[in-house]
């Protein structure tokens, strides 16, 4: 018999999440039975902490529920021939150290996953955030070679891939991030222009200086004031992919305009919100493309690894505060 540890939402977040909003629980897992539905025992090896957990917790969870989320897990015991003991999968079973599955909710890592590549990347560059960058750029921004792409939260899990894929696609790339170290990282991984949005005197000027001719594509991870300023610097027929709105997730009161209609009309812009799950049927295509670029060294990955399952709430809070460079993950 295995006792799993799991983090529950003790109290709905009120403004910025606090460690006291979480509760560590112990859950007794039943032994696997021959012929039963539940044929696999898994242990989480890496767990993801993501911005979506903040707004989705309010929408989808009640107090006492185990926190939502995704992990890379190892099969510890199997009575299902499709899954061998020792195999690694991606699962969406929330903040738990161990769990039982019938296999239907598990995705094996791509069979050509190189031994040398950290499996945690299946939660980042070669996982959901990488796919968000891939489909958001190709299908929503519809970037073309020679265009200028703007991305904010650029040193994070999604943003760092957006910038690198736009470079592969022959674009000029401008990124913004919240520290000088992050800006230095962006330049190191090939961004043409990068600035610290927290220290520039004027966001408007910083955007204008980085691309005096304006922007064809804007991959928006942040929303709010940044987006309101950036929209005025779009080129005619520009495309805006509304990926995230992290500047608003912890707000008590919804932010107010400036409103988007005038620049949308005068510049004939397209603005489209999207969820990466829209392309679930093309997941394999996206993962293979990302895996290839990572292995060729064309896409660099950085991870912010927090050690210890007990530190999950802290890792989540730090990510929301911007303390992560690249993908924030927890190693159990
Ligand atoms: P990141 O790794 O980018 O981590 C979050 C980052 O957001 C922080 O590091 C911080 O960077 C920045 N940030 C936090 N608060 C603010 C703020 N008030 N204003 C501006 N920036 C802030 O996370 P992800 O790459 O996983 O996610 C990026 C965005 O993409 C999120 O909005 C997320 O919800 C969205 N997303 C959407 C998906 C979809 O299907 N539509 C799928 C996955 C993610 P900094 O230091 O630069 O401020």
């Amino acid at each position: 018999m295995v006792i799993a540890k799991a983090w529950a939402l003790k109290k709905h977040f009120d403004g910025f999440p606090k460690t006291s909003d979480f509760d560590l629980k112990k859950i007794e897992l039943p032994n696997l039975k021959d012929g039963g539905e539940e044929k696999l025992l898994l242990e989480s090896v890496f767990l993801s902490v993501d911005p979506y957990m903040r707004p989705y917790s309010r929408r989808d969870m009640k107090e006492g529920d185990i926190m939502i989320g995704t992990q890379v897990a190892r099969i510890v015991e199997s009575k299902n021939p499709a899954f061998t003991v020792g195999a690694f999968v991606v699962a969406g079973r929330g903040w738990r150290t161990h769990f039982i599955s019938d296999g239907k909710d598990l995705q094996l890592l791509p069979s050509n996953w190189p031994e040398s590549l950290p499996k945690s990347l299946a939660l980042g560059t070669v996982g959901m955030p990488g796919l968000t960058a891939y489909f958001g750029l190709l299908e929503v921004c519809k970037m073309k070679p020679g265009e200028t792409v703007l991305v904010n939260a650029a040193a994070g899990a999604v943003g760092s891939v957006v910038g690198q894929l736009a470079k592969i696609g022959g674009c000029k790339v401008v990124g913004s991030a919240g520290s000088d170290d992050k800006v230095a990282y962006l330049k190191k991984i090939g961004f043409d222009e990068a600035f610290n949005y927290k220290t520039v005197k004027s966001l408007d000027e910083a955007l204008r200086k980085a691309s005096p001719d304006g922007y064809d594509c804007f991959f928006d991870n942040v929303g709010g004031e940044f987006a309101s300023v950036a929209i005025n610097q779009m080129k005619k027929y520009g495309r805006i992919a509304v990926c995230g709105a992290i500047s608003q997730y912890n707000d008590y009161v919804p932010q107010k305009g400036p409103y988007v209609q005038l620049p949308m009309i005068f510049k004939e812009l397209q603005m489209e919100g999207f969820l990466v799950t829209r392309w679930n049927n093309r997941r394999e295509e996206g993962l293979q493309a990302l895996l290839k670029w990572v292995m060729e060294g064309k896409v660099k990955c950085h991870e912010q690894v927090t050690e210890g399952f007990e530190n999950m709430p802290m890792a989540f809070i730090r990510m929301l505060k911007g303390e992560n460079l690249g993908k924030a993950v927890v190693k159990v």
Side-chain angles (χ1 to χ4, degrees), residues 11-301:
K11 213 175 137 298
H12 268 299
F13 305 123
D14 183 18
F16 213 92
K18 308 179 286 301
T19 47
S20 57
D21 297 330
F22 301 89
D23 207 9
L24 188 57
K25 289 190 171 175
K26 289 193 173 160
I27 301 171
E28 213 173 281
L29 301 181
N31 292 327
L32 299 186
K33 287 193 217 92
D34 287 320
E37 274 285 289
E38 294 169 336
K39 290 184 168 174
L40 299 161
L41 172 68
L42 297 100
E43 68 179 2
S44 301
V45 183
F46 293 99
L47 293 118
S48 186
V49 284
D50 298 88
Y52 74 81
M53 293 164 178
R54 174 64 180 87
Y56 278 43
S57 67
R58 172 65 67 182
R59 197 193 69 172
D60 297 344
M61 292 176 64
K62 50 185 194 319
E63 290 176 354
D65 285 353
I66 304 302
M67 281 296 296
I68 47 175
T70 312
Q71 55 268 89
V72 167
R74 181 171 30 218
I75 315 274
V76 177
E77 214 184 313
S78 174
K79 293 185 186 293
N80 176 339
F83 296 92
T84 47
V85 169
F88 287 86
V89 296
V90 175
R93 295 299 298 273
W95 297 16
R96 304 168 193 266
T97 56
H98 297 79
F99 53 96
I100 282 174
S101 165
D102 61 7
K104 289 183 191 138
D105 56 344
L106 306 178
Q107 281 159 334
L108 282 164
L109 259 56
S111 55
N112 57 342
W113 191 279
E115 203 45 51
S116 59
L117 198 67
K119 296 188 170 55
S120 48
L121 292 184
L123 300 174
T125 305
V126 193
M128 184 279 282
L131 293 170
T132 304
Y134 180 84
F135 290 113
L137 267 180
L138 294 184
E139 301 298 335
V140 185
C141 282
K142 296 191 168 63
M143 65 159 178
K144 293 192 268 304
E147 291 191 327
T148 303
V149 175
L150 169 65
V151 57
N152 48 19
V158 175
S160 59
V161 183
V162 168
Q164 296 183 83
L165 296 192
K167 285 309 295 175
I168 292 172
C171 295
K172 172 178 167 172
V173 182
V174 177
S176 71
S179 76
D180 292 346
D181 285 347
K182 289 186 181 186
V183 168
Y185 175 71
L186 295 179
K187 295 205 171 136
K188 193 170 126 200
I189 62 173
F191 280 59
D192 298 285
E193 300 286 341
F195 63 86
N196 180 344
Y197 70 94
K198 289 184 180 165
T199 56
V200 289
K201 273 206 219 91
S202 150
L203 181 56
D204 193 59
E205 267 172 37
L207 288 170
R208 212 171 293 283
K209 186 164 163 244
S211 180
D213 297 336
Y215 298 91
D216 301 280
C217 302
F218 171 28
F219 195 108
D220 186 14
N221 288 318
V222 168
E225 193 194 338
F226 190 108
S228 300
V229 174
I231 196 170
N232 289 298
Q233 296 200 28
M234 296 301 292
K235 291 189 194 174
K236 202 161 168 83
Y237 308 122
R239 286 90 61 202
I240 302 171
V242 183
C243 173
I246 195 161
S247 69
Q248 296 166 33
Y249 294 166
N250 294 305
D251 282 355
Y252 292 98
V253 183
Q255 295 177 17
K256 287 217 163 181
Y259 299 103
V260 299
Q261 286 80 5
L262 287 184
M264 292 284 297
I265 296 164
F266 291 135
K267 293 182 174 176
E268 300 191 58
L269 304 176
Q270 286 181 37
M271 189 175 193
E272 183 179 344
F274 72 97
L275 290 171
V276 62
T277 44
R278 192 193 304 180
W279 297 279
N280 273 352
N281 61 341
R282 288 174 60 193
R283 198 172 180 277
E284 195 54 30
E285 168 205 318
L287 291 181
Q288 286 303 329
L290 292 161
L291 189 55
K292 181 166 169 288
W293 284 318
V294 168
M295 290 317 291
E296 289 170 354
K298 290 184 180 157
V299 171
K300 303 266 188 298
C301 316

